[in-house]
């Protein structure tokens, strides 16, 4: 094993001479033993730790949106369903528009850096697996892309995240449990006050996927206003009476 690691280290160092890997946080060349972030940026990665707290800013924002939807009767619930439960919510780290860490989800979403996506998604899954709030998750669902956008991009970044998270949690994953039925503008190009309307009614759920499940986790790359995750939540809630939680790689500071 030591020989294999030595050879792997040597191969990485040799490759870096010709095609240096750069830190996603600060842009400096990475050392042979560094992965995606240099040791300095990794030490400064602004972890939220909200997977350890039932009530945290992200969860409170998301539950406020759920409450608004209930009061406005924005979605139907099956007769006999129990009272709405507090939705757990967690992100691996926070970032602002002027933070270098915003490059982490962008590298996955726009640059095709799937290895980086898998790496940080695995970190997210590891953190969630340490939390009593997420230990009983038995189904992980990625936020779906419209088929046309998926075809153009070649993959769905949320599926990559969901796959790593489900593995860490020992839960099943269902990329087909939700379907995007309406093509929408990319949320990053929509004004904050227009985000909810942009994705309203854009998702449909497949009830069969939820049979014999108790805790569903919906996964996306970034939590900004929570509008996309909320629309997915509504679609699932119409057919499922268990707990629904959400998780993302990053949450945008507000």
């Amino acid at each position: 094993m030591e020989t294999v690691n030595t050879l792997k280290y040597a191969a990485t160092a040799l490759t870096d001479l010709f095609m240096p890997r750069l830190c996603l946080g600060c842009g400096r060349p990475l050392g042979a033993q560094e992965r995606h972030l240099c040791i300095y940026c990794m030490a400064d990665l602004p972890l939220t730790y909200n997977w350890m707290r039932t009530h945290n800013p992200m969860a409170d924002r998301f539950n406020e949106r759920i409450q608004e939807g209930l009061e406005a009767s924005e979605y139907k619930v099956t007769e006999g369903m129990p009272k709405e439960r507090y939705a757990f919510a967690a992100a691996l780290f926070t970032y602002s528009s002027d933070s270098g860490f915003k490059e982490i989800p962008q590298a996955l979403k726009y640059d095709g850096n799937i290895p980086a996506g898998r790496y940080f998604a695995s970190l997210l899954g590891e953190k969630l697996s340490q939390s009593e709030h997420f230990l009983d998750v038995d189904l992980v669902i990625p936020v779906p892309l419209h088929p046309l956008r998926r075809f153009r991009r070649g993959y769905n970044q949320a599926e990559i995240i969901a796959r790593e998270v489900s593995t860490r949690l020992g839960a099943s994953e269902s990329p087909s449990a939700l379907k995007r039925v309406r093509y929408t503008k990319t949320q990053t190009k929509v004004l904050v006050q227009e985000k909810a309307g942009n994705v309203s009614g854009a998702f449909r759920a497949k009830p069969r996927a939820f049979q014999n499940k108790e805790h569903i986790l919906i996964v996306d790359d970034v939590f900004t206003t929570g509008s996309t995750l909320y629309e997915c939540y509504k679609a699932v809630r119409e057919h499922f009476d268990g707990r629904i939680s959400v998780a993302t790689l990053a949450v945008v500071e507000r």
Side-chain angles (χ1 to χ4, degrees):
M1 180 63 72
E2 186 174 340
T3 301
V4 172
N5 289 335
T6 301
L7 291 174
K8 185 180 296 185
Y9 177 88
T12 300
L14 183 61
T15 301
D16 285 346
L17 286 175
F18 301 98
M19 294 186 298
R21 298 169 300 119
L22 303 179
C23 173
L24 291 175
C26 66
R28 82 168 185 85
L30 293 174
Q33 293 183 318
E34 296 173 329
R35 297 184 63 188
H36 310 296
L37 288 180
C38 67
I39 57 173
Y40 306 105
C41 286
M42 182 59 78
D44 289 338
L45 185 65
L47 298 175
T48 66
Y49 294 99
N50 55 22
W51 53 85
M52 303 303 294
R53 296 178 291 167
T54 302
H55 290 269
N56 59 68
M58 177 178 170
D60 287 343
R61 284 159 59 186
F62 191 64
N63 281 276
E64 285 173 8
R65 184 67 188 90
I66 293 172
Q67 186 59 38
E68 291 171 0
L70 286 171
E71 293 173 356
S73 300
E74 290 182 349
Y75 60 99
K76 299 177 181 178
V77 294
T78 303
E79 186 176 351
M81 276 189 178
K83 184 179 179 180
E84 191 73 67
R85 287 188 254 185
Y86 187 86
F88 300 138
L92 180 64
F93 64 95
T94 62
Y95 75 80
S96 56
S97 59
D98 58 352
S99 167
F101 294 111
K102 68 181 180 182
E103 296 298 326
I104 293 174
Q106 289 181 0
L108 170 61
K109 188 172 184 176
Y110 300 116
D111 300 335
N113 194 337
I114 294 176
R118 288 173 176 161
Y119 175 76
F120 291 104
S122 182
L123 287 182
L124 172 63
E126 179 183 346
K127 301 301 184 184
L128 297 180
S129 70
Q130 297 170 2
S131 167
E132 61 178 342
H133 310 313
F134 296 93
L135 280 179
D136 62 344
V137 168
D138 46 13
L139 179 64
V140 180
I141 301 175
V143 171
L145 288 178
H146 187 275
L148 179 58
R149 179 163 285 135
R150 183 190 172 91
F151 174 76
R152 289 173 175 171
R153 187 171 296 167
Y155 61 94
N156 177 2
Q157 69 278 2
E159 285 185 22
I160 293 168
I161 299 168
R163 191 169 302 122
E164 296 298 324
V165 168
S166 64
T167 297
R168 286 286 188 170
L169 290 176
S172 58
E173 178 208 0
S174 180
S176 62
L178 280 171
K179 180 180 180 181
R180 192 181 290 250
V181 296
R182 183 168 60 80
Y183 191 86
T184 60
K185 296 179 182 178
T186 301
Q187 287 288 78
T188 54
K189 297 181 179 180
V190 178
L191 295 175
V192 170
Q193 59 268 32
E194 297 176 352
K195 288 181 182 292
N198 184 50
V199 292
S200 179
F203 303 96
R204 294 289 183 274
K206 297 182 179 179
R208 184 175 298 180
F210 314 138
Q211 291 181 354
N212 302 317
K213 302 301 181 184
E214 296 183 359
H215 189 172
I216 291 174
L217 181 67
I218 305 174
V219 171
D220 204 2
D221 53 350
V222 177
F223 184 103
T224 305
T225 64
S227 296
T228 299
L229 285 165
Y230 171 67
E231 289 297 322
C232 291
Y233 182 99
K234 286 198 308 183
V236 173
R237 177 56 79 212
E238 290 185 4
H239 308 283
F240 177 71
D241 63 359
R243 186 183 294 280
I244 306 172
S245 299
V246 299
T248 60
L249 284 185
V251 57
V252 178
E253 292 182 337
R254 69 172 188 177

